[in-house]
C-alpha cells in the first residue's frame, strides 16, 4: 500500500488573477497558505488484475477506463494506463467548501500514481501536471493557485506570468510573526457546499480580454493588494492582514454574481461589529468557510457573535504534497 496526502489551502489575496484569461494578458499573483487539513489517497494491488476498484463518496469497480464515473480518476488512470489497482480517497473536510479540495485531490492522485510506478516527480511538476489535467484535459474554468498550493504547501506568494510559468516564493517572517498570524486568524464554517464552476465561468468572462473595465481594474487592484501584503508580512507587520483582507473581499464581491449572498454578508457584518479587522469567504463563493483576522483580545466577542457557526482551528501546514506511507514491496 502507498498513501499520499495534499493539504487544503486558504487564499488571502489576489484570487481570480490565476485564471488564464486574466494572467495571460495582465499577469497575476496570489498570497495563500495551506492548512493542516488534508486529502488522503491510498493505492493497493487489486486481486483482479484486469479491473479497477475505486472508493470515494461512491464505490466503483470497472474493467475499462471509459466506464469510470469520477472524471478525475478516469482522466488520470487513462493517462497512466493502470489497471489491477484499488484506490481509496479520504478527506478531513468535505468537497465544495472553498478550500481547493479538487486540486488537492488531483495533486495527491498524481503523486500516488507516479509513486506507484516508481517515478520521482518534483513539486513543480505535480502542480503543472495537475493544472494540465484540470484546466486543459477536463476543461474546468478554474485557475492555477490551488494546484500549486497543494503541491508546495506553506505560506507562499505565487506569481502567474503571461507565459504560463509560475514563480513560487515563500513568505519569510520571524517565528513569532508566524505564530501571531496563526493565532489571529479565526475560521468558521457557514454551511453548505458550492460548485465553483458556474461562479468562475462568470468571473472568467468578466475579467477576460473582453470583460468589463471596472471588473478588470478591480482584479488588478487585488493583485496590488497581494503584493503589498507580501511586503508587509515580510516586514513582520502581521496586523496589516486585517485591513487588506477587507479591501480584497469588497473587490472580490464585485467580480461576479453569487460570490456573496445575504447569509455571507450577515456573518461578515457580525464578525466586524464584534472586533474582526477583516475577512473573506474562501473559494469561488456562495458557501463553505470564512476566515477573519481578529486580535486575541477580540476573539471571544467574535465567537459569541458567530455562536451559530462551527469554528475550526486554524493551523498552517508547511509540507505540501507528501508520501505518508510506502510498503517495502513498493519501494
Amino acid at each position: 500500500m502507498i498513501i499520499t496526502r495534499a493539504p487544503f489551502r486558504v487564499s488571502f489575496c489576489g484570487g481570480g488573477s490565476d485564471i488564464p484569461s486574466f494572467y495571460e494578458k495582465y499577469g497575476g499573483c496570489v498570497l495563500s497558505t495551506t492548512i493542516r487539513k488534508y486529502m488522503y489517497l491510498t493505492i493497493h494491488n487489486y486481486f483482479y488484475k484486469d479491473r479497477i476498484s475505486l472508493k470515494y463518496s461512491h464505490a466503483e469497480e470497472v474493467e475499462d477506463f471509459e466506464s469510470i464515473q469520477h472524471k478525475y480518476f478516469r482522466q488520470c488512470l487513462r493517462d497512466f494506463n493502470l489497471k489491477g489497482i484499488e484506490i481509496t480517497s479520504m478527506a478531513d473536510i468535505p468537497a465544495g467548501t472553498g478550500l481547493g479540495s479538487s486540486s488537492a485531490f488531483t495533486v495527491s492522485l498524481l503523486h500516488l500514481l507516479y509513486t506507484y510506478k516508481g517515478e520521482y516527480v518534483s513539486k513543480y511538476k505535480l502542480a503543472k501536471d495537475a493544472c494540465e489535467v484540470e484546466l486543459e484535459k477536463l476543461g474546468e474554468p478554474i485557475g492555477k493557485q490551488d494546484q500549486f498550493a497543494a503541491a508546495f504547501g506553506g505560506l507562499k506568494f505565487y506569481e502567474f506570468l503571461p507565459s504560463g510559468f509560475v514563480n513560487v516564493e515563500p513568505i519569510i517572517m520571524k517565528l513569532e510573526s508566524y505564530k501571531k498570524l496563526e493565532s489571529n486568524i479565526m475560521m468558521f464554517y457557514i454551511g453548505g457546499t458550492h460548485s465553483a464552476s458556474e461562479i468562475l465561468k462568470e468571473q472568467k468572462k468578466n475579467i477576460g480580454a473582453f470583460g468589463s473595465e471596472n471588473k478588470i481594474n478591480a482584479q488588478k487592484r487585488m493583485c496590488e493588494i497581494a503584493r503589498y501584503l507580501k511586503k508587509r508580512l515580510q516586514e513582520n507587520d502581521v496586523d496589516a492582514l486585517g485591513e487588506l483582507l477587507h479591501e480584497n473581499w469588497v473587490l472580490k464581491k464585485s467580480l461576479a454574481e453569487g460570490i456573496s449572498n445575504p447569509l455571507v454578508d450577515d456573518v461578515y457584518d457580525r464578525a466586524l461589529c464584534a472586533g474582526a479587522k477583516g475577512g473573506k469567504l474562501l473559494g469561488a463563493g456562495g458557501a463553505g468557510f470564512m476566515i477573519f483576522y481578529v486580535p486575541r483580545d477580540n476573539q471571544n466577542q467574535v465567537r459569541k457573535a458567530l455562536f451559530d457557526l462551527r469554528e475550526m482551528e486554524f493551523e498552517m501546514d508547511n509540507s505540501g504534497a507528501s508520501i505518508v506511507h510506502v510498503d517495502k514491496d513498493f519501494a
Side-chain angles (χ1 to χ4, degrees):
M1 180 178 289
I2 302 171
I3 305 172
T4 57
R5 76 178 190 189
F8 294 116
R9 65 96 187 94
V10 165
S11 179
F12 293 130
C13 295
S17 69
D18 59 321
I19 294 174
S21 60
F22 183 85
Y23 74 70
E24 286 174 357
K25 187 169 183 179
Y26 307 106
C29 58
V30 169
L31 199 153
S32 69
T33 187
T34 48
I35 58 174
R36 294 183 65 185
K37 300 294 180 183
Y38 303 94
M39 174 71 67
Y40 296 88
L41 281 103
T42 72
I43 192 168
H44 188 269
N45 287 330
Y46 196 39
F47 180 78
Y48 299 104
K49 300 304 179 186
D50 59 343
R51 299 183 195 174
I52 301 166
S53 175
L54 303 172
K55 297 172 183 175
Y56 48 106
S57 57
H58 301 283
E60 298 189 51
E61 184 172 328
V62 301
E63 294 184 357
D64 61 274
F65 302 123
E66 301 312 313
S67 298
I68 298 173
Q69 298 298 307
H70 191 292
K71 61 183 178 182
Y72 292 86
F73 274 133
R74 182 173 64 245
Q75 184 64 57
C76 293
L77 290 173
R78 185 168 56 200
D79 289 346
F80 280 79
N81 193 30
L82 288 173
K83 290 187 177 182
I85 53 174
E86 180 177 7
I87 303 179
T88 303
S89 75
M90 297 156 283
D92 290 327
I93 295 174
T97 51
L99 299 178
S101 59
S102 295
S103 296
F105 178 92
T106 308
V107 167
S108 191
L109 177 59
L110 290 171
H111 204 186
L112 189 76
L113 299 179
Y114 275 121
T115 305
Y116 182 82
K117 293 185 70 175
E119 298 179 26
Y120 167 79
V121 286
S122 68
K123 291 182 182 296
Y124 194 96
K125 180 168 174 56
L126 279 178
K128 184 172 178 290
D129 286 359
C131 289
E132 183 179 344
V133 167
E134 294 192 85
L135 278 70
E136 297 176 25
K137 295 179 178 177
L138 295 177
E140 297 288 350
I142 61 174
K144 287 186 171 182
Q145 66 156 316
D146 292 355
Q147 301 87 347
F148 276 83
F152 281 88
L155 181 64
K156 301 260 189 330
F157 179 80
Y158 301 95
E159 186 171 12
F160 307 98
L161 304 182
S163 65
F165 186 79
V166 181
N167 282 326
V168 182
E169 185 177 346
I171 302 298
I172 306 300
M173 300 188 296
K174 294 178 180 177
L175 179 59
E176 53 265 34
S177 297
Y178 281 106
K179 290 180 177 178
K180 180 178 180 180
L181 176 64
E182 200 170 50
S183 65
N184 282 7
I185 292 177
M186 302 183 73
M187 192 167 179
F188 293 90
Y189 181 54
I190 65 170
T193 60
H194 69 264
S195 172
S197 296
E198 291 307 312
I199 297 172
L200 287 171
K201 281 178 185 175
E202 181 185 348
Q203 186 173 332
K204 180 179 178 181
K205 180 182 72 173
N206 291 343
I207 64 174
F210 302 102
S212 155
E213 183 177 354
N214 288 340
K215 288 178 169 47
I216 290 170
N217 287 336
Q219 187 68 75
K220 288 180 178 178
R221 175 58 187 158
M222 290 167 69
C223 291
E224 292 174 0
I225 293 169
R227 292 189 179 95
Y228 186 56
L229 176 59
K230 170 193 166 191
K231 177 178 180 291
R232 296 290 291 272
L233 290 179
Q234 293 190 149
E235 293 171 349
N236 296 288
D237 182 9
V238 176
D239 288 332
L241 179 59
E243 62 185 75
L244 295 176
L245 274 178
H246 177 71
E247 184 180 354
N248 187 86
W249 173 238
V250 172
L251 290 166
K252 180 177 177 177
K253 288 196 296 180
S254 73
L255 296 180
E257 294 291 330
I259 288 178
S260 191
N261 57 43
L263 170 62
V264 173
D265 291 341
D266 173 65
V267 171
Y268 192 84
D269 291 344
R270 281 192 279 157
L272 259 62
C273 288
K277 300 303 181 184
K280 62 173 292 195
L281 181 70
L282 299 172
F289 283 91
M290 296 186 75
I291 58 163
F292 299 97
Y293 186 83
V294 189
R296 291 301 295 270
D297 290 346
N298 298 347
Q299 290 184 5
N300 283 336
Q301 296 97 291
V302 170
R303 286 190 181 96
K304 290 176 182 177
L306 303 183
F307 68 94
D308 52 336
L309 302 179
R310 174 179 172 180
E311 183 180 0
M312 188 175 78
E313 186 175 5
F314 180 86
E315 296 179 291
M316 292 195 291
D317 155 89
N318 199 38
S319 62
S322 305
I323 300 169
V324 177
H325 173 78
V326 181
D327 279 347
K328 63 180 181 179
D329 292 342
F330 286 98

